[in-house]
Amino acid sequence: MVSATSPSPIWTSAEGSMAQATAKTRWPVIVQGMIDDVQQTIDDDSDTRNAKEGLDIIQELQALKENIEGDAALPALPEDGSSDIMGYNAQLASFGPMSWHNCPWLFAECYLYRRVHAIISGAPSWRGYDIFARAKLSSLISSKTAVQELSARYMSLSTVDAFNNNDRSDFAYTIFVEMTQIALWGNATDLSLLTAASPDQLEAIQGRKAIEEGQARIVSNDMADAWTYLSAHAGGAVDIILDNAGFELFTDLLYSLYLIDSGLAGSVRLHVKSMPWFVSDVNPHDIPILVSTLSDPRFFDLNGRVPALAARIQRLLNEGRIVMEEHPFWTTGYDFQCMPAVAPDLLGRLSTSTLVVFKGDLNYRKLVRDATWPYTTPFAEALGPLAGPKGFKILALRTNKADVCVGVDEETVRRLKVQEPGDNWVKNGKYAVISLSVC
Ligand code: F6P
Ligand code: MG
């Protein structure tokens, strides 16, 4: 429930905002990337996808791109029997007439990906096609150096005493900090922002050294409280609401393995998106693809530590200690504060969790309604009904890539204003938050 005093979500018409830049500049580029992908599949002469249907998809995507560039109105989504379409259209109707450059950013961006999914699903031979699969796989392969480095690091760390044996010493805490930071900065490489990053650029943001240096750029940091809380509730089920495939998913699987190996969690449930989403988000097939790629000699040296790590992850998957879950709510246009009304079953499920870890920028935006909160707003306040006894225990690990950010103290906000003119620290992906709500 949104209180009368809580601010409204950011619109794509907000001058100088990331919302505006995304609607005007980034969406057309992203849709062009989809067109290129479908064309490539046609050119590859795939025998499972019909070329004529592929060309029809391209035509529809082209029209969509022109609509965005021309600031056309957002029409209702065609009813195709899917349960979520009704929700999209009800939300759309509740906003009144809107156009791409003048609409709530969060809703319109979800609507965009849902619309693309409807276009693809409308072509029988393309149903189930992941328009981002090619990009997701190539981002993993371009992250080879960091994957190898972090695998070797994990395998050596996991032999020390402080790692296993439910150790809660200071040294065990430093391992927790390192592993949590790896999962945090894994989110710096999402493909919607880094479509053209070279392997060298990726290395510069993914390696261990880069991750250590990143500590100073965590502008709100509840790491110590997260450790205290998890240590006191060790052995339970932890949920991770995943964000991106490729390198970030690798870091999330590493984190899952760590949580279980260290005894902090007894099991981990990984929540994925049910359709291609925000370019790089994890779909169900991305988990087996990642694990098998890690053990594939064409990509990773079989004598290195990567395949050994992949085998450990696979074992936990086989044993059901890491499981994957899907829920249609994650790909609706609703922010997460609508969960009690729209998806009470999911709310019930997450209330049983020791801790629900939300990865990434979009999940964070949905947690805090993508609203124009003052940066100093306490995290729990911005979470509304999700905090407190009717909600669930939340840890957000997010690199900042949008306009919203909360939980930052006044002095830090003042310093960042000088350091990053134009409030760039909320959107350039170089800063991050680790925010906890467990009351
Ligand atoms: O604006 C940046 C953006 O593309 C947003 O659309 C979205 O919130 C986010 O990045 C996706 O990032 P992440 O994968 O971290 O959710
Ligand atoms: Mg994402």
Side-chain angles (χ1 to χ4, degrees):
M1 174 92 59
V2 176
S3 86
T5 52
S6 66
S8 54
I10 186 148
W11 281 49
T12 56
S13 46
E15 276 309 319
S17 64
M18 184 72 180
Q20 187 182 54
T22 297
K24 289 197 168 168
T25 316
R26 293 180 50 244
W27 286 342
V29 173
I30 288 171
V31 178
Q32 183 59 50
M34 301 177 196
I35 293 170
D36 296 344
D37 175 85
V38 174
Q39 186 63 57
Q40 194 173 334
T41 299
I42 295 171
D43 294 346
D44 289 350
D45 203 15
S46 131
D47 48 5
T48 45
R49 314 287 175 194
N50 177 287
K52 161 79 182 62
E53 286 177 2
L55 292 174
D56 292 344
I57 293 174
I58 290 182
Q59 213 170 37
E60 288 194 66
L61 291 174
Q62 188 60 39
L64 176 60
K65 182 182 162 204
E66 285 161 17
N67 281 342
I68 296 171
E69 286 169 332
D71 191 22
L74 273 66
L77 292 172
E79 296 289 347
D80 65 356
S82 317
S83 56
D84 60 333
I85 297 269
M86 243 161 52
Y88 271 101
N89 288 341
Q91 270 188 292
L92 196 57
S94 75
F95 293 129
M98 293 185 308
S99 65
W100 289 100
H101 300 173
N102 187 22
C103 56
W105 180 26
L106 178 63
F107 171 77
E109 205 160 22
C110 297
Y111 166 96
L112 168 63
Y113 288 96
R114 185 60 186 90
R115 198 156 146 191
V116 170
H117 184 57
I119 292 173
I120 292 171
S121 310
S125 75
W126 288 74
R127 233 165 255 155
Y129 179 71
D130 181 355
I131 200 163
F132 304 125
R134 197 172 266 123
K136 288 190 273 193
L137 183 61
S138 91
S139 104
L140 175 67
I141 295 164
S142 321
S143 306
K144 179 175 172 175
T145 308
V147 168
Q148 290 180 165
E149 186 197 339
L150 295 175
S151 300
R153 172 73 179 155
Y154 187 86
M155 296 302 269
S156 72
L157 263 185
S158 63
T159 59
V160 304
D161 279 352
F163 195 91
N164 300 300
N165 303 339
N166 292 318
D167 190 306
R168 304 291 170 248
S169 64
D170 286 354
F171 184 46
Y173 174 60
T174 63
I175 296 174
F176 175 75
V177 170
E178 180 170 340
M179 298 310 301
T180 304
Q181 286 188 177
I182 290 170
L184 170 70
W185 292 110
N187 179 244
T189 48
D190 89 274
L191 296 175
S192 68
L193 278 179
L194 281 177
T195 32
S198 67
D200 283 356
Q201 285 167 314
L202 286 175
E203 253 177 76
I205 48 179
Q206 292 174 336
R208 226 184 115 217
K209 187 156 172 281
I211 286 164
E212 272 163 19
E213 285 166 3
Q215 190 142 8
R217 285 180 276 106
I218 302 173
V219 296
S220 179
N221 193 344
D222 293 335
M223 180 82 80
D225 292 341
W227 168 250
T228 306
Y229 172 80
L230 262 181
S231 306
H233 297 82
V238 169
D239 288 76
I240 303 182
I241 316 303
L242 293 173
D243 184 4
N244 302 311
F247 180 70
E248 181 170 1
L249 177 59
F250 167 75
T251 65
D252 292 337
L253 287 174
L254 196 67
Y255 199 48
S256 306
L257 183 61
Y258 158 72
L259 289 172
I260 292 175
D261 278 350
S262 63
L264 286 171
S267 60
V268 175
R269 303 188 288 228
L270 301 172
H271 297 257
V272 300
K273 310 291 190 312
S274 302
M275 65 183 74
W277 193 245
F278 280 71
V279 186
S280 33
D281 282 29
V282 178
N283 292 156
H285 53 260
D286 289 316
I287 295 181
I289 288 176
L290 183 122
V291 178
S292 65
T293 306
L294 296 178
S295 331
D296 186 332
R298 284 173 302 165
F299 305 119
F300 294 100
D301 175 7
L302 283 190
N303 298 318
R305 314 312 297 269
V306 182
L309 187 90
R312 284 173 73 166
I313 293 170
Q314 186 60 56
R315 200 175 60 233
L316 290 177
L317 285 163
N318 296 344
E319 290 168 2
R321 294 184 74 194
I322 299 180
V323 295
M324 186 183 77
E325 293 198 1
E326 278 181 73
H327 196 287
F329 180 70
W330 303 123
T331 48
T332 64
Y334 293 108
D335 67 60
F336 296 160
Q337 297 188 26
C338 297
M339 198 186 291
V342 177
D345 58 321
L346 182 60
L347 178 73
R349 177 102 181 113
L350 298 181
S351 329
T352 66
S353 181
T354 300
L355 188 65
V356 187
V357 181
F358 285 86
K359 290 296 315 288
D361 190 70
L362 175 65
N363 281 328
Y364 184 86
R365 287 169 62 198
K366 284 193 158 189
L367 278 172
V368 299
R369 299 180 36 253
D370 208 26
T372 51
W373 300 102
Y375 300 137
T376 51
T377 310
F379 184 51
E381 183 183 331
L383 287 174
L386 300 179
K390 292 196 173 152
F392 42 86
K393 316 293 183 199
I394 294 173
L395 176 66
L397 303 179
R398 175 246 189 171
T399 60
N400 301 353
K401 304 174 211 161
D403 299 293
V404 64
C405 191
V406 298
V408 188
D409 64 58
E410 266 176 41
E411 197 191 315
T412 306
V413 173
R414 266 199 301 274
R415 174 173 57 80
L416 290 168
K417 268 209 173 328
V418 178
Q419 223 167 285
E420 293 283 353
D423 283 348
N424 256 332
W425 62 273
V426 279
K427 47 194 167 203
N428 64 10
K430 294 187 180 146
Y431 294 81
V433 294
I434 296 179
S435 298
L436 182 75
S437 165
V438 288
C439 295

